[in-house]
Amino acid sequence: MTVEHTGVDVVVVGGGIAGASAAANLAFNGLSVVLLEKQETYQDIVRGEWIAPWGLREAQTLGVEEAFGLGGAWEIREWTQWDETVDPAEAETVDMTRFVPGVGGPMSFPHHEVCALMAEQAEDNGATVVMGAQRAHVTAGTHPEVRWTHAGQEHLARPRLVIGATGRGCTVGRQVGVSMATSVHHWGGGLRVTGLDDWPMDVQAMGTEDEKMFMVFPQGDGNARLYINFPTANRKLYQGPEGEKRFIADFELASLPDRGKAVYSAAKPIGPLKLWPSVAMFPEQPIVMDGVVLVGDEAGNADTVLGTGLSCSLRDTRAVCEVLTGGDDWSPGAFEGYLAERKFRMDRLHFGADIIAKLYCEYGPAAAERRRRARGLMAENFAASVTGLLNMVPPEDVPDFGFSEFFAERLFRERA
Amino acid sequence: MSVKDTLLTGSAHVNGIDIAYVDKGEGDPVVLLHGFPDSHYLWRHQIDPLVEAGFRVIAPDLRGFGESGKPQEVEAYDMRTIVNDVVALTQHLGIPKAHIVGHDWGAAIAWMYAFLMPRRVDHLAVLSVGHPGVFSTPSIEQRKASWYMLFYQFPGVSEQLLRRNGWRLFKEIMGGEGDHQRYPRELAKPGALTAALNWYRANRSPESELRVEANFPPVLAPTLGIWSTGDKALLEEGMTGSVKFVKGSWRYERVEDASHWIPLDQPEIVTKLLLGFLGTEKAAAVPTRRRRL
């Protein structure tokens, strides 16, 4: 027998940052919400752990920012870009705390803990949160349907609207006929560690050396999320036994102060190592249709190297929640603003991600030379760092010239 | 869906406020008083062993913390008022006399309770914070950039400043000590942060509060002082110097490898010290004759 849930306004499929924030906001605004999450309890499955100041502003608007702070988010204040072409002592540092008024620097946080708190907030606001929801299936239409199984029991809801927020898996998207064009520029790996007592917790590191683009995002108390982006050809490098060890050992880098000793000799894993192709995804059909709206990575995303995935998710959620709480028209036409804004935003993020990936995630002597030249240009004229602004301010606030072929061509051309 | 960090067994309206508490076991009563920004949960490793050893354990959430009432006005956090909470709670539970154990602000409350109400105190055990009459403050050099700032900065720090940017300043102050991951979640509850800060706003610091009152009645109860070498806020002299205010027997124990949060960092040692002390000594005689002026 199937349990039928009646009187549901919105079913949110996927309890990540996008889905849980939507559920918390909609429930707060008095809608009847069911949130489906497939995990029984939130675990570290190595999802995004860095959120830009502009994403935090979206979280404030949605009323979910406290979940970050209480879930272990740590405000990072400085960004130092290291490189094999630069002496560690010469590496430049940017103060990240002043880009968005009312918000400090970006935050790094244990993703699963923040999701758990957001889901809890949704529940406190009156949403029904189903952990361990299996085989969720969505049928689009003016009377959409969602079926799922929980503890061996079949469930059914006929909400007014379904929000698909299942991330890169695009589970809901595939069920309702949205396919993705994809491209892979490189691979990446991530590991959460502790013990970085000698690494300055105010400083996030990014840099390129050899065949690695490395990142250290402090989470306070000596914890940090480490990432390495590497060429697709090296994707077996960290697989198999002792992969974590090799991953951490690879933070021995000439471009870091003291050869990165504060990381490679101290880091102890406190989560699994995950490896993934850094996919950019472009939806091939509309992400809004009768009865279904897709948000977050499920709606298409830029290369993870940019670090804007979570900010995008919250921007999506905010836009969709504004429609759902702002009036009675939930037809596809009501989401035109969301679609237009998202297209504009993603065009800019894809453009920026291409530049960042070409600059920092390509390897070998020619790529190093390219970085050296670009760094020279940036030193000469700060405006050449315009792409980096995408990590701080929303895409619409980044100057237009940063998205021109002319700019990209100048940044990368062989001779000055 | 979250695991609630609580062992509470009851709540009582006493001294004009709701006080939540643990009341567990049978035998000689022991009252455990937590400090900032804890709750009864600070004593989670000591409660059951004390019960098993034959004590009745009373561990309240002091006003402003945990599940107890959280008045928002500063005046509600005067030390005497808080001491009276403990008096009223023990009376409510039918306990005329108890062993009193306190940590941090709870130790300051315990000292005051002991010298104001000697007949209600059996043995006294104080952790981290010495007698208020001892003038002992770490020099700037001795203070590390850590939770000592609680003592010296909280009276001037606003709730908004501590909470902004994901509780960044609070996290910086606390470092990785105590229940540092739990504290912001507790303090984020309605009114909790203001209530907790009011302890500082009303009393400056646990040590300095009563300094102006030069003449303290002596502590007659047998007293155990415990201090930890990893305490970044409080000096050993603060505890060892307390001996001159104690007329009962005095024991001092220094605990290694523990931050300020001794009951959490060295739970077995604290339990062992308490079990080896409570109920083992005789109190100094209560002065019966009136002093001639």
Side-chain angles (χ1 to χ4, degrees), chain A residues 52-111:
Chain A
W54 67 271
L56 288 164
R57 194 173 61 184
E58 301 292 357
Q60 288 177 351
T61 310
L62 284 161
V64 297
E65 81 277 17
E66 190 86 316
F68 285 92
L70 301 182
W74 178 253
E75 181 204 15
I76 314 178
R77 292 176 172 164
E78 297 175 358
W79 171 6
T80 304
Q81 185 77 35
W82 276 282
D83 198 280
E84 62 193 335
T85 65
V86 179
D87 184 285
E90 307 283 313
E92 283 190 34
T93 296
V94 175
D95 172 358
M96 299 188 288
T97 62
R98 290 163 200 282
F99 285 94
V100 176
V103 180
M107 286 188 185
S108 180
F109 57 91
H111 186 109

Side-chain angles (χ1 to χ4, degrees), chain A residues 5-235:
Chain A
H5 300 253
T6 53
V8 178
D9 294 314
V10 179
V11 174
V12 182
V13 186
I17 295 289
S21 65
N25 180 276
L26 296 175
F28 179 78
N29 283 291
L31 297 181
S32 163
V33 180
V34 175
L35 174 65
L36 305 179
E37 165 56 37
K38 72 175 175 191
Q39 297 183 84
E40 295 284 346
T41 57
Y42 286 101
Q43 307 290 329
D44 181 1
I45 49 174
V46 193
R47 295 297 191 262
E49 303 216 321
W50 189 94
I51 184 161
W54 67 271
L56 288 164
R57 194 173 61 184
E58 301 292 357
Q60 288 177 351
T61 310
L62 284 161
V64 297
E65 81 277 17
E66 190 86 316
F68 285 92
L70 301 182
W74 178 253
E75 181 204 15
I76 314 178
R77 292 176 172 164
E78 297 175 358
W79 171 6
T80 304
Q81 185 77 35
W82 276 282
D83 198 280
E84 62 193 335
T85 65
V86 179
D87 184 285
E90 307 283 313
E92 283 190 34
T93 296
V94 175
D95 172 358
M96 299 188 288
T97 62
R98 290 163 200 282
F99 285 94
V100 176
V103 180
M107 286 188 185
S108 180
F109 57 91
H111 186 109
H112 56 295
E113 308 251 0
V114 170
C115 287
L117 284 183
M118 261 186 212
E120 198 176 299
Q121 188 183 347
E123 197 161 51
D124 289 347
N125 291 348
T128 302
V129 177
V130 184
M131 296 298 296
Q134 303 300 319
R135 294 195 292 280
H137 193 273
V138 176
T139 311
T142 45
H143 300 285
E145 263 186 25
V146 187
R147 291 174 184 275
W148 70 94
T149 335
H150 181 252
Q153 175 74 55
E154 301 279 335
H155 292 257
L156 165 69
R158 293 192 178 88
R160 289 183 63 193
L161 189 90
V162 179
I163 295 179
T166 65
R168 265 141 220 270
C170 300
T171 311
V172 173
R174 280 186 280 111
Q175 290 166 358
V176 299
V178 178
S179 57
M180 291 282 170
T182 60
S183 71
V184 177
H185 182 270
H186 56 270
W187 273 54
L191 178 68
R192 194 161 169 252
V193 298
T194 191
L196 304 197
D197 297 327
D198 295 326
W199 181 271
M201 285 288 122
D202 271 333
V203 179
Q204 71 175 34
M206 295 173 70
T208 308
E209 179 173 325
D210 195 18
E211 291 196 324
K212 286 163 288 197
M213 190 263 195
F214 57 90
M215 308 186 196
V216 180
F217 294 126
Q219 299 189 342
D221 301 329
N223 300 332
R225 176 62 84 172
L226 305 180
Y227 294 107
I228 299 180
N229 289 303
F230 46 86
T232 304
N234 289 356
R235 65 184 179 281

